[in-house]
Amino acid sequence: MKKFAVFGHPVAHSQSPFIHQEFAKQFGIDLSYERILSPLAGFRDCVSAFFADGGLGANVTLPFKEQAYALSDELSERAKICGAVNTLYLKEENRVFGDNTDGEGLVIDLQRLNFIRPGGKILLIGAGGAARGALLPLLRAGCVVTITNRTLAKAQSLAEQFSVYGDINTVATDKMDMDTAGFSLIINATSSGVDGGVPPIPVSLLNNTVACYDMFYRAGLTPFLQLAVDNGVVRYADGLGMLAGQAAFAFKLWHGVLPDIAPVLAQLKQRMA
């Protein structure tokens, strides 16, 4: 039986085991998939032990995506560009290959929701691993991206790095007002929802003309989406579709086939409800 896992801290909420088992049923693949709670200071050792025990591939969630990048022996082009890894694959001679399927999973979900179009203006909140993974596919989809972050310098560094791939700029969180409105989509790429918080943006940006997307997901509305709804937003979604999308591309890396996302996403929504 092929052995896979998802690493995170926390990780008990992860739906990845269910998703990959359902994908495997589509192709008659026999696999095991578990959640592994990695110590914050022991991620590398935890992953090494998993592969030494017969593991073939792993997904990586918060807060280890940049550490996964550092431990990879080989990297995909998109992982190299974004500097973060969410999918690990053990290749020949015990070489660990790192990929990032987050951005592809996000874009396929945003396209499904009709939230993005070429030239659309996106406000991306956050400048960590989740934001890094999203930027390249968003820019390649022709979107105009503005990054905001509590630490502006981190957002500026990210914008400078990705400026060669498309139209990207930054704005300080305390400088956003009605003058910076006009976004067609606001994406929360921070982990604020894990602790029940919301990202620091003015509610003046939230109205019935803008769509809101939270990469975080949970049963019911996330704190960010609740804030959006309370301020008139009518088009919104959490990261459940992104989760299924990134998992599908990880599955393809490991097994060579791309599963059908739609039936699994429908089941996920029922489970989360």
Side-chain angles (χ1 to χ4, degrees):
M1 181 179 290
K2 297 180 179 180
K3 183 177 176 181
F4 302 89
V6 56
F7 290 82
H9 191 115
V11 77
H13 69 285
S14 175
Q15 296 292 320
S16 292
F18 170 78
I19 294 171
H20 281 273
Q21 292 287 357
E22 291 302 309
F23 285 165
K25 289 176 184 177
Q26 295 181 14
F27 302 98
I29 296 172
D30 191 21
L31 59 79
S32 68
Y33 192 111
E34 62 181 318
R35 301 179 186 90
I36 297 180
L37 179 66
S38 171
L40 289 174
F43 174 70
R44 179 182 287 270
D45 290 342
C46 201
V47 170
S48 296
F50 170 74
F51 283 134
D53 194 38
L56 296 178
N59 291 124
V60 181
T61 188
L62 293 172
F64 299 121
K65 294 180 182 182
E66 284 155 322
Q67 291 187 50
Y69 174 90
L71 68 77
S72 298
D73 300 307
E74 301 176 30
L75 293 162
S76 67
E77 179 197 15
R78 57 195 178 195
K80 287 179 183 176
I81 292 170
C82 71
V85 159
N86 80 320
T87 303
L88 298 170
Y89 178 44
L90 191 65
K91 299 180 71 175
E92 300 83 3
E93 300 178 357
N94 290 321
R95 292 183 63 79
V96 177
F97 179 79
D99 194 7
N100 193 309
T101 65
D102 279 336
E104 300 299 333
L106 171 66
V107 167
I108 200 173
D109 197 36
L110 293 176
Q111 291 171 336
R112 177 186 67 86
L113 294 161
N114 199 28
F115 278 7
I116 60 171
R117 56 177 174 77
K121 292 176 63 179
I122 297 176
L123 177 65
L124 181 65
I125 311 169
R132 297 182 70 91
L135 276 172
L136 183 64
L138 287 174
L139 292 171
R140 285 183 169 171
C143 300
V144 179
V145 180
T146 298
I147 310 173
T148 189
N149 190 59
R150 287 184 185 274
T151 307
L152 182 60
K154 192 172 182 181
Q156 290 171 331
S157 175
L158 205 54
E160 182 178 352
Q161 177 187 347
F162 281 85
S163 62
V164 296
Y165 301 106
D167 193 342
I168 185 169
N169 53 78
T170 64
V171 62
T173 54
D174 60 353
K175 299 295 183 183
M176 286 186 294
D177 52 30
M178 290 303 290
D179 292 336
T180 60
F183 296 110
S184 56
L185 173 65
I186 299 175
I187 300 175
N188 180 26
T190 75
S191 58
S192 58
V194 175
D195 299 318
V198 295
I201 63 168
V203 294
S204 60
L205 298 181
L206 303 171
N207 53 63
N208 62 6
T209 67
V210 67
C212 287
Y213 191 96
D214 197 341
M215 290 190 187
F216 180 60
Y217 67 90
R218 72 174 194 183
L221 292 177
T222 68
F224 171 64
L225 293 183
Q226 186 65 64
L227 177 70
V229 170
D230 290 345
N231 286 276
V233 174
V234 294
R235 294 185 301 137
Y236 55 87
D238 65 18
L240 205 59
M242 174 184 174
L243 176 71
Q246 63 80 26
F249 288 107
F251 191 92
K252 182 179 180 182
L253 174 66
W254 296 333
H255 306 288
V257 286
L258 186 67
D260 185 1
I261 299 171
V264 179
L265 181 55
Q267 290 176 282
L268 274 176
K269 288 179 178 178
Q270 290 181 344
R271 287 169 62 90
M272 295 301 291

